[in-house]
Amino acid sequence: MPGENLVGVTPTSIAPKSIADLEALLKDDIKVKVAGIDVDGVLRGKYMSKEKFLSAASSDGFGFCSVIFGWDMHDAVYSRELLISNRANGYRDLIASIDLATYRRIPWEGNVPFFLVSFYDSETKEAICADPRGVLRAVVSRAQQKGWRCLAGCEYEYFQFKETPESLAQKNFSNIQPLTPGMHGYSLLRTQINSDYFNDIFDESLKFEVPLEGHHTETGPGVYETALAYTDALRMADNAILFKFLAKSIGMKRGVVPSFMAKPWGNLPGCSGHIHVSLRDSNGKSLFAVSEAELKTGRESAQYSDTKFVSQECEWFLAGVLAGLPDIMPTLVPTINGYKRLVGGEAFWAPNAVTYGYDSRAASVRIIAPPSVPPAATRLEVRVPGADMNPYFAISAIFALGMRGIEKKLSLPGPPVSQLTLEDKKAGKVKMLPTSLEAATARMMAAESIAREDAVFGPAFVEHFGGTREHEVKLWNEAVTNWEVERYLELA
């Protein structure tokens, strides 16, 4: 447990293999930075003296206040008491277990050493049900028991604002200024403006052991899109959460606020957090790829002609994701605002139905397979999540549902969809996804929810995470917005 490279983590290139290695790496340091992740995907951490850190790394970890699982992203205690941290247990300490595999240095912060932690119950020594890293590690471990390796990639779209935390507060978050004007997707000109900031994000990511595959402008005023390099699922989630930290840190130094909010502007496309996934067997072969013979002739067992270029296991995996998608929506779209991104549906390439398509960006799950890519690159892209997702929970949900589909040999719900029409929706030809956090949370917490199955998330996680989403809904229902005042104050 503590002081070890944990199961399912691809180490950074400089990670120590032992405590002796660790001591040598830190010989010239006086402090270390550590952080864990809360249910909203917010990094919670602190500096530790080197002596305290080494003591914790060599033993059972160190105490960390459990309140980070008892309050929301703005440090407000949840509306109702939840199991992990509450008044009854005195907001007791959890054990923070240092993961040596996550060692890197923060280049923009004086090269201070940095490690991620996972959280364990101080009495049972078991991973707590809502620790994001623990949840994903459990899913990855189940795959490893079957001889499979979970691989993933994340793509983030995010707005940039020419603001500071102070200016946002002074403006009451109104009339905020985008970094650049206009719609300029894939622009080579817009990258010349604020080029130091744009390039810093890429260059510092590499130094921070968060490798990128692509970095460009996306359509929208001041919008960037960054694709993180494909890797093992738990390392991918770590990289995704740390990329946000990096972008926000670099931004603050340059008077820029990057926002991963799903829908900052009502009349513009929102910000996605697309997730690519695949499985490999113990020999490193893609479990989703068809054989060379099948590639030439087509797979006879394919349920639909458009899926003949993926394996039977991939088809079952896809069917599992589609079957459980409506029941795990809060793990993909965890905020009130996130569902506003989905309202526009296909118009903004934000799918809101249980659909899949062969290389289709209009579908909720896009199949990427030959002839578009070589067989070894066969994968699925889940396009429902927004940039505000918690990547640990989102990736966990996709793999848990997919492996459930393989185990049950589930069938696809219908043929692929390249374009979903209003008539299709009205005729009930496709199943629609929940359109609000309130509806999505109710569905996830229902007694018959697939999310409650032990092979997916289990009841303890659903009760805790669902309770945090109910809190979010309660705050929204109590809020009076500018839209309401402008609409009703004079004429109602």
Side-chain angles (χ1 to χ4, degrees):
M1 191 180 84
E4 298 178 356
N5 292 340
L6 299 177
V7 172
V9 184
T10 298
T12 63
S13 66
I14 54 176
K17 294 181 173 60
S18 66
I19 295 298
D21 286 348
L22 178 64
E23 291 174 345
L25 285 170
L26 302 182
K27 63 183 178 62
D28 296 324
D29 296 289
I30 60 171
K31 61 182 182 293
V32 178
K33 198 167 194 177
V34 297
I37 300 96
D38 69 14
V39 297
D40 288 299
V42 176
L43 283 166
R44 304 282 188 170
K46 60 183 177 180
Y47 279 113
M48 299 175 70
S49 71
K50 181 174 71 174
E51 292 72 25
K52 172 68 174 177
F53 174 84
L54 288 173
S55 173
S58 304
S59 59
D60 288 335
F62 62 95
F64 202 114
C65 182
S66 67
V67 75
I68 64 168
F69 292 97
W71 64 22
D72 64 16
M73 64 171 61
H74 286 282
D75 297 3
V77 175
Y78 290 127
S79 307
R80 66 178 175 88
E81 299 260 277
L82 300 175
L83 182 62
I84 296 172
S85 182
N86 51 54
R87 283 187 290 272
N89 65 26
Y91 300 100
R92 62 195 177 110
D93 269 0
L94 301 171
I95 295 175
S97 170
I98 299 162
D99 188 347
L100 299 187
T102 66
Y103 167 68
R104 65 230 320 134
R105 289 179 179 267
I106 306 178
W108 62 90
E109 214 172 299
N111 246 16
V112 66
F114 177 83
F115 294 81
L116 288 171
V117 304
S118 296
F119 295 106
Y120 293 81
D121 186 280
S122 57
E123 296 177 358
T124 67
K125 304 298 189 287
E126 295 179 354
I128 63 170
C129 67
D131 173 43
R133 300 191 80 239
V135 169
L136 181 52
R137 190 166 56 250
V139 173
V140 168
S141 295
R142 292 203 295 269
Q144 289 178 331
Q145 290 167 13
K146 299 176 183 292
W148 300 338
R149 180 182 171 200
C150 299
L151 296 172
C154 288
E155 300 169 348
Y156 278 127
E157 297 168 358
Y158 49 107
F159 280 80
Q160 329 292 322
F161 295 100
K162 194 179 292 185
E163 303 284 355
T164 66
E166 291 76 18
S167 70
L168 289 173
Q170 290 166 2
K171 292 182 175 183
N172 292 319
F173 293 85
S174 298
N175 299 316
I176 55 181
Q177 183 180 357
L179 188 61
T180 55
M183 309 288 273
H184 293 273
Y186 298 99
S187 172
L188 295 186
L189 292 176
R190 276 298 187 266
T191 57
Q192 303 304 309
I193 307 173
N194 308 294
S195 62
D196 289 345
Y197 167 61
F198 180 84
N199 283 288
D200 268 358
I201 292 176
F202 194 105
D203 298 342
E204 296 298 279
S205 291
L206 300 183
K207 296 176 189 175
F208 196 42
E209 296 263 345
V210 179
L212 308 182
E213 288 185 351
H215 181 50
H216 61 87
T217 62
E218 183 54 273
T219 188
V223 180
Y224 294 165
E225 178 174 352
T226 306
L228 279 63
Y230 208 62
T231 186
D232 288 284
L234 185 48
R235 175 68 187 273
M236 182 71 261
D238 286 346
N239 287 355
I241 217 76
L242 292 176
F243 175 77
K244 285 187 177 183
F245 170 61
L246 176 145
K248 293 176 182 180
S249 298
I250 300 299
M252 281 194 296
K253 286 182 173 290
R254 296 190 175 275
V256 178
V257 174
S259 175
F260 294 81
M261 182 179 177
K263 187 76 168 173
W265 303 100
N267 61 341
L268 292 174
C271 296
S272 70
H274 299 153
I275 298 174
H276 294 245
V277 296
S278 63
L279 289 171
R280 290 183 188 169
D281 65 19
S282 56
N283 296 316
K285 181 181 180 296
S286 171
L287 208 66
F288 287 3
V290 294
S291 67
E292 290 298 326
E294 289 173 322
L295 186 58
K296 294 176 182 177
T297 62
R299 181 168 60 82
E300 292 183 3
S301 60
Q303 192 175 350
Y304 298 100
S305 60
D306 277 358
T307 62
K308 65 184 179 182
F309 293 130
V310 299
S311 70
Q312 178 64 78
E313 287 80 5
C314 183
E315 199 170 287
W316 287 333
F317 188 102
L318 171 60
V321 172
L322 295 171
L325 196 56
D327 288 0
I328 55 85
M329 276 292 285
T331 65
L332 304 185
V333 187
T335 67
I336 294 292
N337 177 258
Y339 292 83
K340 299 189 176 181
R341 168 180 161 268
L342 301 181
V343 169
E346 298 77 24
F348 286 148
W349 287 354
N352 53 13
V354 181
T355 57
Y356 71 99
Y358 188 85
D359 203 15
S360 171
R361 287 180 170 83
S364 289
V365 184
R366 172 186 172 214
I367 301 172
I368 304 173
S372 301
V373 296
T378 301
R379 62 193 186 276
L380 302 177
E381 179 190 20
V382 182
R383 297 179 57 81
V384 176
D388 58 355
M389 65 171 174
N390 183 325
Y392 298 94
F393 294 157
I395 294 172
S396 294
I398 294 165
F399 278 107
L401 292 177
M403 290 191 293
R404 178 180 182 271
I406 294 176
E407 181 180 343
K408 293 181 176 291
K409 298 182 178 180
L410 296 180
S411 298
L412 293 169
V417 172
S418 58
Q419 183 176 2
L420 188 61
T421 66
L422 182 60
E423 289 70 28
D424 290 333
K425 295 178 182 179
K426 289 182 177 177
K429 292 182 180 179
V430 296
K431 184 184 295 184
M432 301 305 296
L433 295 171
T435 57
S436 70
L437 182 59
E438 186 168 14
T441 301
R443 174 145 190 170
M444 183 184 73
M445 297 188 73
E448 67 278 10
S449 170
I450 290 173
R452 287 188 175 274
E453 296 181 13
D454 289 334
V456 183
F457 283 115
F461 171 87
V462 169
E463 287 299 321
H464 183 90
F465 183 65
T468 70
R469 297 310 92 189
E470 288 177 335
H471 168 82
E472 203 76 6
V473 169
K474 182 176 184 293
L475 294 181
W476 168 246
N477 288 339
E478 292 172 348
V480 178
T481 66
N482 289 345
W483 183 91
E484 294 168 277
V485 174
E486 291 173 10
R487 188 166 184 85
Y488 302 122
L489 184 67
E490 180 184 0
L491 298 177

